[in-house]
Amino acid sequence: MASVSASPFSSAFEYAPAPESRAVVDIAPSYGLFIDGEFVEAAEGRVFKTVSPSTEEVLSEVAQAGEADVDRAVKAARKAFEKWSALPGSERAKYLFRIARIIQERSRELAVLETLDNGKPIKETRDADLPLVAAHFFYYAGWADKLGHAGFGTNPRPLGVAGQVIPWNFPLLMLAWKIAPALATGNTVVLKPAETTPLSALFFADICRQAGLPKGVVNILPGYGDTGAALVAHPDVNKVAFTGSTAVGKEIARTVAGSRKKLTLELGGKGANIVFDDAPIDQAVEGIVTGIFFNQGQVCCAGSRLLVQESIQDELLDSLKRRLSTLRLGDPLDKNTDIGAINSAEQLARITSLVAAGEAEGAERWSPACELPSSGYWFAPTLFTNVTQAHTIARDEIFGPVLSVLTFRTPDEAVAKANNTQYGLSAGIWTEKGSRILAVANKLRAGVVWSNTFNKFDPTSPFGGYKESGFGREGGRHGLEAYLDV
Amino acid sequence: MPTTASTALPLKDVTASNSTLRRFLHGLPGVDAVGLEARAASLGTRSIKTTAKAYAIDLAISMVDLTTLEGADTPGKVRALGAKAVRPDPTDRTAPATAAVCVYPDMVAVAKEAVAGSAVKVASVATAFPAGRAALGVKLADVRDAVAAGADEIDMVIDRGAFLAGDYLKVYEEIVAVKEACGASARLKVIFETGELSTYDNIRRASWLGMIAGADFIKTSTGKVAVNATPANTLLMLEAVRDFRAQTGIQVGVKPAGGIRTTKDAVKFLVVVNETVGEDWLDNHWFRFGASSLLNDLLMQRQKLATGRYSGPDYVTVD
């Protein structure tokens, strides 16, 4: 059938580039360690470069902390602890509220910085990361003067110096998850950001100064794994908090074993996203996309195993493939970008090798037509079908934009397969039947179970895992416990 | 009689009785309201700039059903509207014409004359618009009148009372009858009045019901109630036409109507079309805006893009 009138348009509806301005952030050519309220050089004078994963451009040169620096920082934190822990909770709250407000005021700058250093789309740093970062500080600021009412006795005491090691997937958000409850409960902090994403933590150090936070309460030590190991092993650290890989988590557990240090671990995951045949299909497709392609799949609670009821497998996969074809991959600073860059060459290599294993084991690989930029670290959204529990890609955490699709026939089988993993961090259930949501959720061994949604976060909601996904909880009232002597 | 989907194979038995129809409509996948609205909101954050914006504005203008549906409508008003539809911006002849003018049945002849010689269509809201509360015979007479006067398109309202009472077969049969009254010359747009259907599940069911009965277009609303077109209900209806085409091979158009007043809003709707059903629906044969005040904002934004400056309300016509 012909159009009403001859179409005056020749091209399709292509979106013109809509880049966020880099001018809002001023990255210095070099940064020091942040110890006792000052930026200082590393004792051994070592530095490393941090690059933008989408372009491989060197963003800055950062001091690399060694053992002597760790010792210096822990001493500063120990000294600051006396005064900080003695402050009334309402006084500590003032600092936290001030930090939260400064984060909101500087949120555009921080969002652009995080996108540059991490490679994730500005859409996510702007709309997900930064609002959550501010919300965590606001939330725990509210707890600071109410600790006696949190269910841990009338006068719970802080632990002392917290040594915290965070990953590169949500650099600023993981910092907020760690620092906000630690400060609210009266602890002081030495934090090591990941070597590929140190910048937002250093900007946070500046925010601490801007907020007038007493010296030594927060110390930031960029560095590699050896810096983290030195921090974890330091005898004067009272509390260790780690988010990262299960392998490193196990090593930390061994280091800390036998000491009086309190430990919480947030480790890997292989979340099951279960879609029943009566699910709201179009929204389930959105939830699957959010579950595995949010932050390029570099999310420990990603829904990386799709368990779909066999009776709707074809229909769902057709919809999912059609939807994946609309994902926009490219410049993370473009406001219309859905999929950004993989964080590092090393991570890209890990994803590539696991995907190769999936193909070698006979799973069927599919990606939408998708042009990858010529520089930077990129991986196209990928779907594996014909996957069984016996495949490596159904068991190992890939930490990339790779979804493994498995099928089930009955709710019992879905539960059995979902729980058949060494991990237990997250799961999703998609069904229109409310009673099934409750019945299935109760049987899943996972720290978070989302129903008819996925990857929703809120500071009031505790987060943490079962089995090799770690122990302890962050967020919510439960998150206070890890920093209190209870 | 034109072929309708009910005679096409996959849906042949659905309309045998009210209970088969009910079973079919209630067997459609559910809609999660929170998820649907979140998706519509996320599409609303797309940043459409420069050349893409210019393209979207012209596309939107060409999709407008320029509408006047007032008790006070006169031949003079309708003639002015027709002239504007043909030549929306007298200062810039490169501005595309709108898709149609939309008027009450008694104004069809006037509108037809006003757009004569152009590609602009005349649409008419027949079937006892906007309440639809009249006997079927009256509604059909309304339609036949409009078609006889030259209407190219008929916008019919469904019987929401029958729909909400679960009498799907009655709604179906009315649409079939109206479609027949449209004959071969007029395309049929079926208005659900989504604000009155209230739930997204109902909107999806109504969409399928309308398409099975032979609608050429499905349309959100009359513009006469509190809740009219939203990105979310339009997204849902687009999913329905997409799924319907996949099952039957028949393509149906979509028309959000009421409450879309700004260029920003219109662009958001186009993004929803683009990312839900894509290019196949991105022209005025398959997608329309039912609007009266949208056009002037589109024209002012168009002038802004062309000159780099905002003009003002006196640089677009008031008709």
Side-chain angles (χ1 to χ4, degrees), chain A residues 1-18 123 126-127 278-283 286 315 319 322-323 326-328 334-338 430 432 452 456, chain B residues 29-32 35-36 39 45-52 55-56 58-59 62 96 99 119 121 153 187 201 204 239 242-243 267 270-271 274-276 279 282-286 288:
Chain A
M1 227 176 189
S3 286
V4 172
S5 55
S7 170
F9 319 105
S10 50
S11 66
F13 189 14
E14 304 266 348
Y15 303 158
K123 192 174 93 173
R126 180 194 64 191
D127 298 344
D278 65 344
I281 296 290
D282 291 306
Q283 287 76 50
E286 290 307 317
E315 187 188 348
S319 299
R322 184 181 53 226
R323 174 68 176 87
T326 68
L327 286 175
R328 304 166 64 87
D334 192 309
K335 288 175 244 180
N336 293 325
T337 292
D338 300 315
W430 296 85
E432 282 281 278
N452 292 334
K456 280 267 185 296
Chain B
V31 185
D32 184 273
L36 177 74
R39 172 67 176 150
T45 66
R46 290 292 196 214
S47 188
I48 306 301
K49 302 283 182 214
T50 58
T51 53
Y55 176 77
D58 277 9
L59 187 58
S62 81
K121 303 287 180 184
E153 299 167 358
R187 291 175 88 203
D201 286 325
R204 176 168 283 174
E239 287 169 350
R242 177 197 72 198
D243 295 346
V267 171
L270 291 180
V271 168
N274 190 38
E275 299 206 25
T276 309
E279 262 179 76
L282 273 175
D283 66 44
N284 63 11
H285 196 72
W286 300 115
R288 295 279 179 84

Side-chain angles (χ1 to χ4, degrees), chain A residues 155-373:
Chain A
N155 187 25
R157 307 296 306 155
L159 297 169
V161 175
Q164 307 176 323
V165 179
I166 58 168
W168 44 259
N169 59 343
F170 293 91
L172 200 54
L173 183 59
M174 291 301 102
L175 174 147
W177 282 26
K178 296 275 183 293
I179 290 184
L183 298 193
T185 46
N187 300 274
T188 53
V189 164
V190 179
L191 177 130
K192 187 200 88 75
E195 66 268 22
T196 59
T197 55
L199 292 183
S200 53
L202 295 164
F203 273 60
F204 180 78
D206 183 51
I207 288 170
C208 290
R209 291 210 298 201
Q210 199 181 336
L213 192 72
K215 289 181 175 189
V217 172
V218 167
N219 303 274
I220 309 281
L221 299 182
Y224 284 73
D226 56 333
T227 312
L231 177 59
V232 166
H234 194 286
D236 208 24
V237 163
N238 306 96
K239 150 80 188 172
V240 172
F242 173 74
T243 295
S245 73
T246 294
V248 174
K250 286 178 178 175
E251 216 176 294
I252 290 175
R254 276 192 287 271
T255 308
V256 171
S259 75
R260 293 176 59 85
K261 288 174 191 169
K262 199 162 171 172
L263 175 66
T264 46
L265 297 172
E266 300 286 356
L267 309 176
K270 194 71 187 174
N273 207 355
I274 307 168
V275 182
F276 289 99
D277 60 4
D278 65 344
I281 296 290
D282 291 306
Q283 287 76 50
V285 166
E286 290 307 317
I288 294 163
V289 170
T290 308
I292 185 61
F293 299 113
F294 180 62
N295 198 16
Q296 295 73 246
Q298 302 168 135
V299 184
C300 48
C301 53
S304 53
R305 273 188 306 152
L306 177 64
L307 293 176
V308 51
Q309 195 152 5
E310 234 175 270
S311 51
I312 54 159
Q313 183 189 198
D314 293 344
E315 187 188 348
L316 185 75
L317 283 177
D318 284 351
S319 299
L320 185 58
K321 286 179 177 175
R322 184 181 53 226
R323 174 68 176 87
L324 295 196
S325 305
T326 68
L327 286 175
R328 304 166 64 87
L329 178 146
D331 180 7
L333 276 177
D334 192 309
K335 288 175 244 180
N336 293 325
T337 292
D338 300 315
I339 305 274
I342 301 300
N343 183 252
S344 64
E346 191 192 356
Q347 184 57 23
L348 180 60
R350 205 173 299 150
I351 297 168
T352 309
S353 88
L354 277 162
V355 163
E359 276 186 297
E361 290 174 15
E364 204 172 300
R365 179 180 177 175
W366 183 89
S367 283
C370 173
E371 205 176 307
L372 300 183

Side-chain angles (χ1 to χ4, degrees), chain B residues 179-202:
Chain B
K179 172 77 180 170
E180 205 182 332
C182 287
S185 62
R187 291 175 88 203
L188 175 62
K189 306 194 193 104
V190 178
I191 309 171
F192 302 134
E193 198 67 298
T194 49
E196 289 184 356
L197 298 188
S198 180
T199 71
Y200 290 123
D201 286 325
N202 274 347

Side-chain angles (χ1 to χ4, degrees), chain A residues 48-197:
Chain A
F48 66 100
K49 291 179 167 59
T50 185
V51 303
S52 174
S54 61
T55 57
E56 298 176 57
E57 169 204 357
V58 174
L59 295 172
S60 187
E61 207 170 68
V62 177
Q64 184 180 341
E67 263 184 63
D69 304 307
V70 169
D71 190 53
R72 221 170 3 142
V74 172
K75 281 202 170 86
R78 172 63 58 202
K79 201 173 128 214
F81 176 68
E82 284 173 36
K83 281 188 182 164
W84 180 250
S85 60
L87 282 180
S90 56
E91 284 301 307
R92 289 199 304 274
K94 283 184 192 170
Y95 288 106
L96 286 170
F97 277 124
R98 206 178 291 159
I99 288 171
R101 286 194 303 268
I102 296 171
I103 287 168
Q104 285 186 322
E105 281 159 14
R106 296 177 64 173
S107 67
R108 181 175 286 257
E109 172 195 5
L110 293 167
V112 172
L113 176 76
E114 195 84 318
T115 287
L116 283 169
D117 204 22
N118 171 280
K120 65 169 70 183
I122 185 77
K123 192 174 93 173
E124 291 181 8
T125 53
R126 180 194 64 191
D127 298 344
D129 294 30
L130 262 301
L132 276 170
V133 169
H136 269 271
F137 278 98
F138 277 121
Y139 176 74
Y140 279 110
W143 268 120
D145 61 349
K146 304 174 191 71
L147 298 175
H149 306 281
F152 307 116
T154 52
N155 187 25
R157 307 296 306 155
L159 297 169
V161 175
Q164 307 176 323
V165 179
I166 58 168
W168 44 259
N169 59 343
F170 293 91
L172 200 54
L173 183 59
M174 291 301 102
L175 174 147
W177 282 26
K178 296 275 183 293
I179 290 184
L183 298 193
T185 46
N187 300 274
T188 53
V189 164
V190 179
L191 177 130
K192 187 200 88 75
E195 66 268 22
T196 59
T197 55

Side-chain angles (χ1 to χ4, degrees), chain B residues 146-165:
Chain B
V147 173
D152 305 293
E153 299 167 358
I154 296 295
D155 292 26
M156 81 169 278
V157 286
I158 67 161
D159 183 340
R160 282 89 76 189
F163 185 93
L164 291 170

